[in-house]
Amino acid sequence: MNRIFDFWGNLSVKKRGLLFILAGMVCLFGCLVLLIFTESIFSTVLLYFSLGFNIIGLYILMWIKDRRDKK
């Protein structure tokens, strides 16, 4: 568990945002696969996870851009 916290602590803020967006894209891809090939309710759960991860990642990236513009 400490290795995970160390890894996360050593990441830059931009890489954290990109990691959230990547996780959101993976969840969105899984959601689309489940929607196309099954009638699983889990696809809706994955859709909400993907939206959440993408919103968090975009917020982090926009926050970084805003901080750069103010300097």
Side-chain angles (χ1 to χ4, degrees), residues 35-61:
L35 278 173
I36 291 171
F37 294 111
T38 65
E39 295 179 6
S40 173
I41 194 73
F42 192 64
S43 63
T44 307
V45 174
L46 276 179
L47 179 66
Y48 290 136
F49 274 122
S50 71
L51 289 174
F53 284 143
N54 284 321
I55 288 169
I56 291 169
L58 288 173
Y59 178 76
I60 290 172
L61 293 177

Side-chain angles (χ1 to χ4, degrees), residues 1-19:
M1 194 68 160
N2 287 334
R3 292 178 67 195
I4 295 172
F5 289 134
D6 290 338
F7 173 75
W8 186 256
N10 292 333
L11 285 177
S12 68
V13 178
K14 184 175 182 179
K15 287 185 181 177
R16 288 180 193 178
L18 292 174
L19 194 63

